[in-house]
Amino acid sequence: MGNHFAALFPCPASPSSPPTRLGGGRDSAPPWSALKSLPREKSEPVLLVCSRGFSPSLYLGSRRHPCLPGARDASNRGERAEERRSRCSRPAGPRQPDAPPSSALHRLSPLRSPLLSSADPQPAPSVGTMASINELPSNILLELFSLIPARELLLHCRPVCSLWRDLIDLVSLWKLKCQREGFIPKKWGQPVSDWKVFYFLCSLRRNLIRNPCAEEGFEFWTLDVNGGDEWKVEDLPGDHRRVFPNSHVKKYFVTSYYTCLKSQLVDLKAEGYWEELMDRTRPDIVVKDWFAARQDCGCKYQVCVQLLSSGHVPLGTFQPDPVAIQQWSDAKWREVSHTFSNYPPGVRYIWFQHGGVDTHYWAGWYGPRVTNSSITIGPELT
C-alpha cells in the first residue's frame, strides 16, 4: 500500500470547524515585505506529513476518516434496509450466515488509525470532509514551521491566517530556528531583545569584504593610489618572513616607496541588509584589518572606514592616525579593530580603504603588508 502525503499548507476547512480570519488580522502585510527583493535562500527539503498505510486525514485532528465507526452511520442504515428487502425476495434454501456488523469490520480494517481510540470519542462529520492542518497541536505546528526557510515563513506562511501569524511571531519559534541553524547552543544564557531580528542577523553574518587575503589578486579592489613600484601580492611568509596568526591566510598585499591605497565599497542592500533592518535595529558594524612591517625597513600604515547614506554622505567615520613603525622592529602582525554602534539611520554603504608607504623610499616593496580585512554586521557568535 503506497504512502499518502499531506501537504504542510491547510486544506479547506469544513463547516463544522471554527472560522479562521484570513489576511493576518491586526497587520496583514508582514513587516518584512522587503524580503521579496532579496535572493532566495538555498533550497531546503520540503516538509511533508507522511503516514504509511493510512489516509492523511486520520492524523489531522478530531474528524474521523469516512471508513471509521460513526462516519457512515447514515449509509449503513440504508444498506441494512436494502439487505432486509433482498432477504425477502431470495429463494428458499439453506440459511447463509449473516454478514458481520459494521463495527466488527472496522475493528478488522487495516485503515483504522492507532491514534484514534474508542476511549476518546469524537463527533463525526458528514461523509467526505477532510481535516485541516490547523487542528494539529501548537507545538507540532511550531516544529513544522521551524523547518521552513525564514523567507518563506514571512512572505508566504505568515499571511495565511491569524493562527499562523500568531505562531510565526512567537519568540520560541525563532529561538528554535537559531538552535537548529547552530547559531546558538541549546543552553544560551545571553539576553536577546528580538529573536526574529537576531536570527536574520546571524543568518546574514559573514565577511562583507571580498577577496580580503589576495587569493584572487586585486579582484574586487579599487586601486585609488598606486605609487612607487605599485601594489603587489606576495605569498606568506614571503620577504616579510613572519607567519600569520591564522593558518588559513596564505597571501598578503604589499605597498611600495610611494603611497599605495586601495578600497572597496559595500552595498548593504545588495548583501541582503534591507533598509528597515538597518534603520530600526542599527546592528553593530565591526571592522578589522591586519598589517605588518618588514624588519629591515620602517613604514607607515593607514586605514579609513566610512558609513555612507544613499547619497554617499558620511554618517560615521573611523580614521585613526597613521601608524608609524620604525626600522628594526619586531615586524609582528598587528590587528586594528573598530565597532560602529548607535549610528544614525540611513546607512546604505560602507567604504573601506587602507594602505601605506615605506619611510625609506627604497625601490621595491618595503612598505606595510596588509591582509585578512573584514567587515561584519550583527551579534558576535562564539
Side-chain angles (χ1 to χ4, degrees):
M1 185 177 295
N3 293 346
H4 299 277
F5 296 93
L8 176 62
F9 298 98
C11 305
S14 70
S16 61
S17 61
T20 304
R21 291 183 293 134
L22 299 178
R26 58 174 180 267
D27 53 343
S28 58
W32 309 89
S33 56
L35 285 170
K36 295 180 181 179
S37 62
L38 302 183
R40 286 186 176 273
E41 303 173 40
K42 62 182 180 180
S43 61
E44 299 188 19
V46 177
L47 180 65
L48 297 174
V49 178
C50 171
S51 55
R52 184 180 301 276
F54 298 105
S55 168
S57 61
L58 295 177
Y59 286 95
L60 299 182
S62 61
R63 298 183 180 87
R64 298 193 179 190
H65 189 274
C67 292
L68 293 179
R72 299 184 59 190
D73 289 344
S75 60
N76 286 341
R77 286 194 296 271
E79 291 171 2
R80 288 194 294 272
E82 181 65 24
E83 184 180 359
R84 285 193 297 271
R85 286 192 296 270
S86 65
R87 286 179 186 175
C88 296
S89 61
R90 282 203 302 258
R95 179 180 178 84
Q96 300 295 328
D98 291 335
S102 59
S103 59
L105 287 177
H106 289 309
R107 285 197 296 270
L108 300 175
S109 173
L111 294 178
R112 183 173 177 83
S113 170
L115 300 184
L116 296 176
S117 64
S118 57
D120 184 22
Q122 301 291 342
S126 60
V127 178
T129 59
M130 183 176 291
S132 167
I133 192 174
N134 286 354
E135 296 180 18
L136 285 171
S138 297
N139 61 323
I140 302 298
L141 286 175
L142 286 176
E143 285 287 338
L144 298 178
F145 288 152
S146 70
L147 299 172
I148 300 177
R151 182 181 184 276
E152 306 303 324
L153 270 181
L154 295 178
L155 292 183
H156 302 299
C157 298
R158 191 179 184 275
V160 168
C161 62
S162 58
L163 172 64
W164 286 26
R165 179 202 64 200
D166 294 340
L167 288 176
I168 291 173
D169 287 345
L170 286 178
V171 169
S172 55
L173 171 63
W174 295 98
K175 186 174 182 179
L176 178 60
K177 287 185 71 65
C178 287
Q179 292 174 345
R180 285 190 183 276
E181 298 286 343
F183 298 147
I184 61 171
K186 289 189 176 180
K187 295 182 179 179
W188 177 262
Q190 300 183 21
V192 175
S193 58
D194 190 324
W195 279 99
K196 187 188 298 183
V197 171
F198 182 86
Y199 173 86
F200 276 98
L201 290 176
C202 291
S203 62
L204 290 170
R205 183 180 172 83
R206 65 194 182 281
N207 187 2
L208 300 179
I209 293 288
R210 299 188 178 187
N211 186 29
C213 303
E215 294 292 341
E216 302 173 74
F218 293 98
E219 186 75 18
F220 305 112
W221 290 96
T222 300
L223 304 183
D224 303 317
V225 182
N226 206 12
D229 287 327
E230 301 182 345
W231 281 96
K232 183 185 177 183
V233 173
E234 292 183 354
D235 295 325
L236 280 162
D239 293 335
H240 177 239
R241 301 175 184 175
R242 292 292 186 275
V243 177
F244 192 78
N246 186 342
S247 61
H248 294 95
V249 178
K250 305 296 183 182
K251 297 183 178 183
Y252 58 79
F253 303 96
V254 58
T255 60
S256 189
Y257 59 90
Y258 281 153
T259 300
C260 293
L261 298 173
K262 62 184 178 69
S263 65
Q264 280 194 36
L265 182 66
V266 177
D267 184 341
L268 295 179
K269 187 175 182 179
E271 296 294 340
Y273 295 90
W274 61 97
E275 297 177 0
E276 181 186 10
L277 177 66
M278 294 300 300
D279 292 347
R280 290 192 179 183
T281 308
R282 298 183 217 174
D284 288 348
I285 301 175
V286 181
V287 180
K288 296 181 180 180
D289 196 24
W290 288 82
F291 67 96
R294 281 179 60 126
Q295 188 177 25
D296 56 356
C297 184
C299 68
K300 187 180 293 185
Y301 162 84
Q302 64 185 79
V303 62
C304 179
V305 185
Q306 288 186 330
L307 309 182
L308 304 177
S309 67
S310 57
H312 294 263
V313 176
L315 300 177
T317 301
F318 169 65
Q319 188 173 16
D321 295 334
V323 179
I325 303 176
Q326 302 300 319
Q327 188 181 24
W328 309 118
S329 67
D330 56 15
K332 290 182 178 180
W333 284 99
R334 295 171 168 83
E335 182 185 30
V336 58
S337 176
H338 178 74
T339 300
F340 290 95
S341 57
N342 298 321
Y343 46 85
V347 174
R348 302 293 177 262
Y349 302 94
I350 303 175
W351 183 69
F352 177 94
Q353 184 190 64
H354 66 174
V357 62
D358 83 63
T359 54
H360 290 262
Y361 302 101
W362 291 350
W365 296 273
Y366 291 86
R369 279 85 172 119
V370 293
T371 191
N372 203 33
S373 311
S374 67
I375 297 176
T376 56
I377 299 178
E380 192 76 27
L381 301 178
T382 56

